[in-house]
Each structure stands twice: as structure tokens, then as C-alpha cells.
Amino acid sequence: MDTNDLAGNVLDPNCPSRVVFQRIGDKWASLVIQVLGDGPVRFSELRKMVNVVTPKVLTQTLRALERDGLITRTVYAQVPPRVEYGLTDLGESLLQPLTLLRRWAESHVPTILEARDAYDDAQDEALLGSPN
Amino acid sequence: MDTNDLAGNVLDPNCPSRVVFQRIGDKWASLVIQVLGDGPVRFSELRKMVNVVTPKVLTQTLRALERDGLITRTVYAQVPPRVEYGLTDLGESLLQPLTLLRRWAESHVPTILEARDAYDDAQDEALLGSPN
DNA sequence: CCGTATCCTGCTTGATACTG
DNA sequence: CAGTATCAAGCAGGATACGG
């Protein structure tokens, strides 16, 4: 039944849909996904590209994404070891909404920053006006 | 200059673009925005719709969104007090990418959940296979 | 090279109680 | 009605060091 209980879904913080939003908001997950959009990357490469994240945190991020079926982890039986991460089809399909969001972000962030300044200034003035 | 340093931007966790991603991932912010998409709502209504969030947390969320210029806060000088929250133009413009993301979420969440089960099962078996 | 183990800190979330 | 104040708890993120 395709009732419009979509709204009801979104409002429920326990709704599984929220796992996606949480991934997006995750500090590294969305970055990793977008990096992998250009093709498979090794662990150490990923570390460098994603601006020196500690191995523990990167591993956590990667495992979570792998568990969600968004990325693949391929181990090559070599010495020294070599592990490559890449997007699954599911992961690739996320690329588009992600890119759209990124474009929105990049074009509107200046406005947001201005709004913040204005808001903070207004707060300061209000405090000066009634210090007591 | 519209070089393709977009990639460079995304990889920088300090890039202001990330504030948007953080709002999306915020537990309540994206919910509030989508609720307000249907028109202005009062504080108490918001509390009920968004599944009993504590007033403190809701206020925090609302203030942050207001500071970012995404929502407006209108106080009606009445007794009892009445405060309505609504989307700004900026906030409305966020609705579209947000909806797209939500649609992706709702259509792919089952797959993600399956992937998780499969992953967890594989982990369990691996542990059973080599308990030592 | 690719991680894991341990410890630690700050922020987010929440419960509870109170005010204009 | 629409918040604020205070306190407490959990957990994501990180520094550092070590292992396969």
C-alpha cells in the first residue's frame, strides 16, 4: 500500500531510513564513498586522500560501509599485503543523490555562513542592549 | 575558476560544505526540515510530530537551523505565548535534495538490512570456523 | 602494508525540574 | 505555551602503540 505514510516514516527516528542519513552525516563515510566513486583505492591511499585519518577510525568507517553493502573489500594474497576498497552497485547508486546534495552544499554554504554571522551579531547586540 | 577542485573540497573534513552533511546526519534537524516543508508549525506541535523529543534538544536543533538561515522563528505577542517555525527560502531549496536522498533511502534500505544480516552471519561463521 | 588494542576526551543526547 | 538550567551518560572520534 503506497499511502502517504512516507511522512510518518521520516518522523520516526527509529525508522531504518535514518541509517542512510546517519551515514551521510558520518564524518568520513560520505567522503570515502565519493572518493571510491572514481574507482578502487587501497587502504593506505585512502588514508592519505582523506586527510590523515587514524587507521582505527578509517577501519571502522570501512567496515560499517562494507556491512551495509555499500563497498567491497578485496584482499590480494601478496607480500606485502594489499587490500582494495571499491563501491558496490548499491554504493554507486548512492553517488547521485550524494552528488546532488554536495552541489547544493557548495552553492549555498556561503549563504549559510553569512546567516551565521548575522545571527551571531544579532545575539551580541541583544546582549549589549539588555545586559541585565 | 570552475576547476574540478570539487573533489579536493569534499575530501577536506574542514571544508564548510561539510556543515550541510552534518545537519543531514543530525538526529532531528533533517526531520524538522521535512516537517516544516508542509508549512509553519508551532513548537509544541513539532514536539509531538517528531516523536517526543525533549524541549531542550528540540530547541537546540531549532536554534542551530535558525542560525544557519534555514528556518524562521516567529513570536506572536500573545498570552499564552505562540511561536511558529517555518522554512526560509534557503530551507525550502534544501527540500529537494533532501527528498531525493529520502527516496533513495526508502527504496534501498531493505537491501542494506539484508546486507547487514549477510555480513553478520559471515562473521559468525568465521568465528565458529576458527575459534582459536 | 594493513590493520588491532587500549586508553582517553569532548560532544551529543537525554531526564528532570524550574521560569516568563 | 515555550522554553531554560542542571546534571548525568553514552558514544563517536582520536592519539598512541603494537601485531600478522
Side-chain angles (χ1 to χ4, degrees):
Chain A
M1 50 185 84
D2 55 342
T3 61
N4 60 350
D5 60 355
L6 292 180
N9 265 341
V10 180
L11 300 184
D12 185 0
N14 299 323
C15 171
S17 300
R18 291 214 54 79
V19 306
V20 176
F21 287 77
Q22 308 227 344
R23 287 273 161 277
I24 303 298
D26 184 89
K27 187 165 184 178
W28 305 105
S30 54
L31 273 69
V32 167
I33 292 176
Q34 299 193 54
V35 170
L36 296 187
D38 294 331
V41 181
R42 303 179 60 167
F43 187 86
S44 52
E45 287 297 314
L46 220 36
R47 266 200 79 187
K48 279 183 280 184
M49 295 177 74
V50 151
N51 220 23
V52 273
V53 55
T54 62
K56 192 197 84 173
V57 174
L58 182 57
T59 300
Q60 279 179 350
T61 305
L62 259 15
R63 289 290 190 281
L65 291 175
E66 189 192 359
R67 191 171 100 103
D68 287 350
L70 293 168
I71 68 173
T72 58
R73 178 174 179 269
T74 313
V75 182
Y76 297 92
Q78 300 180 356
V79 179
R82 179 177 161 206
V83 181
E84 274 191 357
Y85 293 89
L87 290 182
T88 61
D89 289 344
L90 185 62
E92 297 232 19
S93 75
L94 182 53
L95 233 38
Q96 191 178 13
L98 216 53
T99 301
L100 248 47
L101 194 64
R102 196 179 86 207
R103 288 203 206 291
W104 187 94
E106 284 166 349
S107 64
H108 291 95
V109 150
T111 311
I112 291 180
L113 263 28
E114 286 169 25
R116 286 190 178 178
D117 287 346
Y119 184 91
D120 293 345
D121 286 353
Q123 291 307 86
D124 289 349
E125 281 182 32
L127 284 178
L128 260 57
S130 60
N132 222 8
Chain B
M1 52 184 79
D2 54 344
T3 61
N4 59 351
D5 59 356
L6 292 180
N9 265 341
V10 182
L11 300 185
D12 184 1
N14 300 323
C15 172
S17 300
R18 291 214 54 80
V19 307
V20 176
F21 287 78
Q22 307 225 343
R23 287 271 162 276
I24 303 297
D26 184 271
K27 188 165 184 179
W28 305 105
S30 55
L31 274 69
V32 167
I33 292 176
Q34 299 192 53
V35 170
L36 296 187
D38 295 330
V41 182
R42 304 178 60 167
F43 187 86
S44 52
E45 287 298 314
L46 220 36
R47 264 199 81 187
K48 279 182 279 183
M49 296 177 76
V50 151
N51 219 27
V52 272
V53 56
T54 63
K56 193 197 82 174
V57 174
L58 182 58
T59 300
Q60 279 179 350
T61 305
L62 257 15
R63 289 289 189 281
L65 290 175
E66 189 192 0
R67 192 171 98 103
D68 287 351
L70 293 168
I71 68 173
T72 59
R73 176 173 180 271
T74 311
V75 181
Y76 296 92
Q78 302 178 355
V79 178
R82 179 178 159 204
V83 181
E84 273 191 355
Y85 294 89
L87 291 182
T88 61
D89 288 346
L90 186 62
E92 296 231 22
S93 75
L94 182 53
L95 233 38
Q96 191 178 14
L98 216 53
T99 301
L100 247 47
L101 194 64
R102 196 179 86 207
R103 288 203 206 292
W104 187 95
E106 284 166 348
S107 63
H108 294 284
V109 150
T111 312
I112 292 180
L113 262 28
E114 287 169 24
R116 286 190 176 179
D117 286 345
Y119 184 91
D120 293 345
D121 286 353
Q123 290 310 83
D124 289 348
E125 282 182 31
L127 284 178
L128 261 57
S130 61
N132 223 8

